């Protein structure tokens, strides 16, 4: 039986004392994320400062057969970094360097602890920006691990679309690269696609080479009010079919608008509302705006307001981005549960209406929002974690939404990831393909030390 003292002593043979912690408060901070999922404290938390140190840590863990959990900012929503057994948590906060910006190639190379806000602050000097915006100021390593996306995915794609290369430390300490600097390749298996979204179950990311974009010449935002959810979604479908270069389009239901008004001190009509943003050049966008207005009106839009001023646009999007906090602030003492089903755009209106109906049946406070450009929607549900019956109702509600999505050939998670919360749906969604995933997992991590109990159920 390997003791914690033995593990700590071995780690301190190549790490500084301050890089290894068994402090209970530190361990407590690394035992939970933003979700309602619960686990246990890690046995030790380590803070590597280099790829070499990560490799050495994994060699120790592999030799001792102790679990390893990569940790970014702790903003995950499905229990990805919650320990379920004896474990070492690797906190990447010291690996937060922007290593190289290649403005002519529209590429940047970073360490995993860099946050998207930190990156965009640096990129602004070059007239560039990183597109993926999950809302939270997450670490880029964590965003790659969960294949994060967010409000801009309709125009720029998800995290997987931005990754050109990863430096990965495997379970046995080997260091590999999954890609290169080339914009395309027909050589070998697509390892970028395999590792992005693997949730720390195949290895630890120690460097990421990412695609970035030029800051748009002109941006305009809009808020459009509709009589029904269906009319709002139908309007978005028509906008996409028309080829209008929309950068963001978010649906917010009536109950969520009410929370926005309370929290952000706005006075928006309590109707299904679209928040939109367009990127491009000023002349082209003027035409797109007029075309969008025509499409909106054809679908019964009750009110539409465009904003080009930066402060006004920021206020509009702050209201949308702060929606989760608006619910948390409005229901003190309760915990937020955010669901994450994705369906085809043609099924989205029915999915949102189903979610609203089921939420009312469950008697739980909350709202429904969606990235309507790509069919991803979330129910924001407030639950009392001390009320077992209420927690169970919330779980049943979540299960009903997942079942609805899977019946329509959608997915149980559009962007939050599987973690602990969605493992039970993997076989139903993937069928025999899940066996292929397990084969890959065991080939790369035969001792199942990489974030066990997440994504794929492998029995030790």
């Amino acid at each position: 039986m390997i003791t914690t003292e033995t593990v700590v002593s071995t780690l301190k043979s190549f790490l500084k004392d301050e890089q290894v912690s068994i402090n209970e408060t530190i361990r407590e901070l690394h035992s939970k994320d933003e979700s309602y999922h619960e686990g246990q404290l890690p046995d030790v938390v380590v803070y590597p400062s280099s790829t070499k140190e990560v490799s050495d840590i994994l060699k120790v863990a592999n030799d001792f057969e102790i679990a390893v959990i990569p940790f970014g900012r702790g903003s995950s929503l499905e229990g990805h970094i919650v320990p379920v057994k004896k474990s070492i948590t690797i906190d990447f906060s010291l690996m937060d360097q922007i290593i190289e910006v290649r403005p002519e190639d529209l590429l940047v190379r970073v360490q995993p602890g860099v946050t998207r806000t930190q990156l965009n602050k640096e990129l602004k000097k070059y007239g560039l920006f990183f597109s993926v915006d999950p809302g939270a100021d997450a670490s880029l390593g964590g965003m790659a691990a969960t294949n994060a996306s967010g409000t801009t995915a309709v125009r720029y794609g998800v995290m997987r679309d931005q990754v050109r290369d990863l430096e990965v430390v495997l379970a046995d300490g080997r260091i590999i690269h999954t890609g290169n600097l080339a914009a395309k390749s027909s050589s070998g298996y697509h390892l970028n696609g395999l590792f992005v979204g693997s949730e720390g179950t195949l290895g630890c990311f120690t460097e990421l080479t990412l695609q970035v974009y030029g800051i748009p010449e002109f941006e305009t935002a809009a808020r459009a009010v509709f009589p029904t959810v269906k009319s709002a979604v139908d309007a978005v479908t028509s906008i996409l079919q028309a080829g209008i270069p929309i950068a963001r389009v978010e649906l917010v239901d009536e109950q969520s608008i009410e929370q926005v008004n309370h929290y952000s001190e706005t006075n928006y009509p309590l109707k299904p509302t679209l928040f939109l943003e367009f990127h491009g050049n000023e002349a082209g966008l003027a035409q797109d705006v007029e075309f969008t207005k025509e499409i909106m009106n054809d679908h019964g839009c009750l009110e539409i307001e465009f904003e080009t001023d930066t402060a006004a646009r920021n206020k509009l999007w702050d209201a949308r981005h702060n929606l989760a906090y608006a619910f948390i602030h409005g229901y003190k003492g309760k915990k937020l549960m955010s669901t994450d089903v994705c369906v085809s755009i043609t099924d989205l209106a029915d999915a949102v209406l189903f979610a609203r109906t089921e939420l009312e049946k469950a008697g739980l406070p909350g709202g429904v929002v969606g990235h309507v450009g790509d069919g991803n929607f979330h129910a924001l549900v407030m639950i009392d974690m001390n009320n077992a019956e209420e927690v169970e109702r919330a779980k049943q509600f979540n299960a009903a939404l997942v079942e609805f999505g899977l019946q329509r050939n959608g997915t149980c998670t559009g962007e939050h990831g599987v973690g602990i919360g969605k493992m039970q749906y993997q076989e139903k969604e993937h069928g025999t393909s899940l066996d292929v995933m397990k084969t890959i997992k065991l080939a790369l991590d035969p001792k199942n030390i990489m974030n066990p109990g997440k994504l794929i159920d492998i029995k030790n």
Side-chain angles (χ1 to χ4, degrees):
M1 179 73 176
I2 304 295
T3 65
T4 300
E5 289 74 17
T6 301
V7 174
V8 169
S9 174
T10 306
L11 291 169
K12 284 187 175 181
S13 69
F14 58 87
L15 296 173
K16 298 175 183 176
D17 285 353
E18 59 267 28
Q19 290 179 275
V20 182
S21 179
I22 56 171
N23 177 278
E24 186 167 353
T25 301
I26 297 295
R27 291 161 60 213
E28 171 71 24
L29 289 172
H30 290 81
S31 70
K32 54 193 175 184
D33 57 9
E34 294 292 329
S35 74
Y36 62 94
H37 300 292
E38 297 179 345
Q40 63 187 60
L41 273 61
D43 293 81
V44 57
V45 179
V46 293
Y47 298 83
S49 59
S50 68
T51 299
K52 172 67 164 56
E53 289 180 350
V54 175
S55 174
D56 289 342
I57 291 165
L58 284 173
K59 287 175 183 176
V60 169
N62 198 50
D63 288 344
F64 289 162
E65 298 190 26
I66 183 172
V68 170
I69 303 173
F71 185 99
R73 297 275 287 187
S75 58
S76 55
L77 294 168
E78 287 292 356
H80 300 84
I81 49 83
V82 175
V84 296
K85 60 191 301 186
K86 185 178 181 66
S87 62
I88 300 170
T89 288
I90 301 181
D91 185 311
F92 284 96
S93 57
L94 295 183
M95 295 181 67
D96 63 347
Q97 299 302 303
I98 298 171
I99 301 168
E100 180 184 18
V101 178
R102 301 171 64 100
E104 293 82 6
D105 290 322
L106 297 177
L107 294 175
V108 63
R109 186 159 58 99
V110 301
Q111 290 184 313
V114 174
T115 68
R116 66 177 186 85
T117 300
Q118 177 189 348
L119 178 59
N120 275 324
K121 183 177 179 180
E122 177 66 20
L123 289 176
K124 192 173 183 180
K125 302 173 187 176
Y126 301 88
L128 303 171
F129 80 106
F130 181 67
S131 62
V132 182
D133 176 12
D137 190 21
S139 69
L140 294 167
M143 289 168 63
T146 56
N147 191 29
S149 57
T151 60
T152 58
V154 63
R155 172 71 181 274
Y156 300 99
V158 300
M159 194 70 185
R160 185 171 276 126
D161 300 312
Q162 321 309 326
V163 174
R164 193 67 62 84
D165 180 35
L166 295 170
E167 182 179 77
V168 184
V169 181
L170 301 179
D172 59 6
R174 284 179 295 162
I175 301 167
I176 67 166
H177 278 263
T178 62
N180 48 49
L181 297 181
K184 62 179 183 178
S185 173
S186 295
S187 176
Y189 293 126
H190 195 268
L191 294 183
N192 283 341
L194 174 64
F195 279 89
V196 176
S198 60
E199 301 184 13
T201 62
L202 299 180
C204 292
F205 305 156
T206 49
E207 281 187 17
L208 304 91
T209 300
L210 304 169
Q211 180 175 346
V212 295
Y213 300 85
I215 294 174
E217 176 190 325
F218 195 75
E219 299 178 22
T220 186
R223 177 181 56 83
V225 181
F226 287 83
T228 66
V229 167
K230 188 177 188 309
S231 59
V233 174
D234 287 345
V236 172
T237 302
S238 296
I239 290 169
L240 294 173
Q241 290 173 339
I244 296 172
I246 193 163
R248 310 188 206 205
V249 53
E250 298 288 298
L251 173 69
V252 182
D253 75 351
E254 301 96 315
Q255 289 76 8
S256 299
I257 289 291
E258 185 174 8
Q259 291 302 127
V260 165
N261 285 341
H262 287 315
Y263 185 77
S264 299
E265 298 181 350
T266 51
N267 191 31
Y268 298 147
L270 301 182
K271 293 283 187 181
T273 301
L274 294 178
F275 289 75
L276 308 98
E277 189 167 277
F278 304 83
H279 295 173
N281 62 71
E282 189 169 359
L285 281 187
Q287 293 181 325
D288 292 331
V289 164
E290 290 306 311
F291 195 7
T292 297
K293 286 179 180 177
E294 291 178 20
I295 292 172
M296 296 286 193
N297 290 331
D298 287 344
H299 288 281
C301 181
L302 302 173
E303 173 187 324
I304 186 168
E305 181 179 279
F306 283 86
E307 300 284 2
T308 56
D309 176 74
T310 299
R313 283 191 294 105
N314 288 342
K315 182 179 179 181
L316 190 73
W317 282 106
D318 281 347
R320 166 63 185 93
H321 278 318
N322 291 329
L323 185 53
Y325 300 107
F327 273 102
I328 292 169
H329 183 79
Y331 294 91
K332 293 190 187 317
K334 290 181 178 284
K335 183 81 173 177
L336 173 69
M337 180 181 79
S338 178
T339 67
D340 178 40
V341 172
C342 192
V343 295
S344 68
I345 296 174
T346 54
D347 283 320
L348 183 63
D350 287 343
V352 172
L353 291 172
F354 177 80
R356 184 74 254 167
T357 301
E358 291 299 306
L359 193 55
E360 289 170 2
K361 282 183 185 177
L364 298 167
V368 183
V369 299
H371 308 317
V372 282
D374 55 23
N376 197 183
F377 71 100
H378 310 292
L380 306 177
V381 187
M382 302 308 300
I383 54 179
D384 179 359
M385 295 303 295
N386 295 316
N387 185 328
E389 189 270 337
E390 191 169 303
V391 171
E392 183 57 30
R393 273 187 284 141
K395 289 180 178 179
Q396 291 301 317
F397 165 72
N398 187 28
L401 296 195
V402 171
E403 290 295 331
F404 182 96
L406 295 182
Q407 286 171 11
R408 284 155 181 77
N409 203 22
T411 177
C412 68
T413 172
E415 59 188 4
H416 294 170
V418 174
I420 295 172
K422 297 292 177 66
M423 278 181 61
Q424 61 185 306
Y425 304 113
Q426 294 301 283
E427 185 170 358
K428 183 164 187 178
E429 178 169 340
H430 298 291
T432 53
S433 296
L434 187 61
D435 294 333
V436 177
M437 297 181 198
K438 289 181 178 180
T439 299
I440 293 170
K441 162 71 172 172
L442 290 172
L444 294 175
D445 179 21
K447 296 180 181 178
N448 192 27
I449 67 164
M450 297 304 307
N451 208 8
K454 321 290 169 54
L455 186 61
I456 294 175
D457 187 19
I458 300 289
K459 303 296 185 185
N460 284 85

